[in-house]
Amino acid sequence: HEDGQGLSKAQFVDTFLDDFLLNNIGTNVLMRQYRACRSDPSGRSSIIDPMCDVLTICHEEAGMVENLCFTSTGVRPTIKIE
């Protein structure tokens, strides 16, 4: 089955999940950075949190997306973080 743009259902879902995961990761990295800046007792206003572990955030978000897909469709995709 193809959509109006010539993509199969599987290709559409793959593209959607890739975009969703990347957007979700980016949003969560930004929010953690913001929270770290706002909660810094020294009053510094740097946008860089040296303790922010982006790889850990990516793995956490990938796990959440895998669980969301499984809950919604009964299929758990495999997300590879490189």
Side-chain angles (χ1 to χ4, degrees):
H1 179 262
E2 292 188 0
D3 68 2
Q5 297 176 355
L7 294 176
S8 71
K9 227 179 228 189
Q11 289 171 317
F12 173 80
V13 171
D14 283 345
T15 301
F16 173 81
L17 290 176
D18 284 345
D19 292 344
F20 178 81
L21 179 61
L22 291 175
N23 287 326
N24 206 20
I25 289 169
T27 300
N28 280 298
V29 168
L30 289 173
M31 284 304 297
R32 288 183 189 199
Q33 290 287 51
Y34 171 76
R35 281 192 233 140
C37 292
R38 297 293 297 163
S39 65
D40 187 350
S42 72
R44 290 177 286 168
S45 61
S46 172
I47 62 167
I48 303 299
D49 176 9
M51 303 305 290
C52 182
D53 184 352
V54 176
L55 185 59
T56 297
I57 294 171
C58 290
H59 282 290
E60 289 172 0
E61 295 307 312
M64 288 195 306
V65 169
E66 289 171 343
N67 291 337
L68 177 65
C69 289
F70 182 74
T71 300
S72 299
T73 67
V75 177
R76 184 180 307 276
T78 301
I79 298 174
K80 183 179 175 184
I81 307 293
E82 297 178 343

